[in-house]
Amino acid sequence: MKHHPKAEKENLDYVYYLVGILSGLFVGVVIAVSITWVIVGGILGFLSAAFFVNVLAKSSEKA
């Protein structure tokens, strides 16, 4: 067993960011007041994903 390399977990945080941005952009398109809301939706989606990854998902690693 000493000769086996340690398995490293692949970092998949980018998936959360991608889903957050895409869902934010989609909400901005649904609002469809102007292109500004699409950009604001993408930014808010990114910030929501960042909050989830850095606060909520970190606490589940300890469990």
Side-chain angles (χ1 to χ4, degrees):
M1 288 287 176
K2 289 183 180 181
H3 300 291
H4 293 284
K6 291 184 179 179
E8 294 182 21
K9 288 187 176 182
E10 186 178 347
N11 190 0
L12 296 175
D13 289 348
Y14 73 92
V15 175
Y16 295 111
Y17 293 117
L18 184 64
V19 169
I21 291 172
L22 291 178
S23 61
L25 290 174
F26 179 72
V27 169
V29 169
V30 169
I31 292 174
V33 176
S34 67
I35 191 70
T36 305
W37 288 108
V38 176
I39 296 169
V40 169
I43 293 170
L44 291 176
F46 176 78
L47 292 175
S48 298
F51 175 77
F52 177 79
V53 168
N54 291 318
V55 175
L56 299 177
K58 286 228 186 261
S59 65
S60 66
E61 288 178 357
K62 295 177 183 177

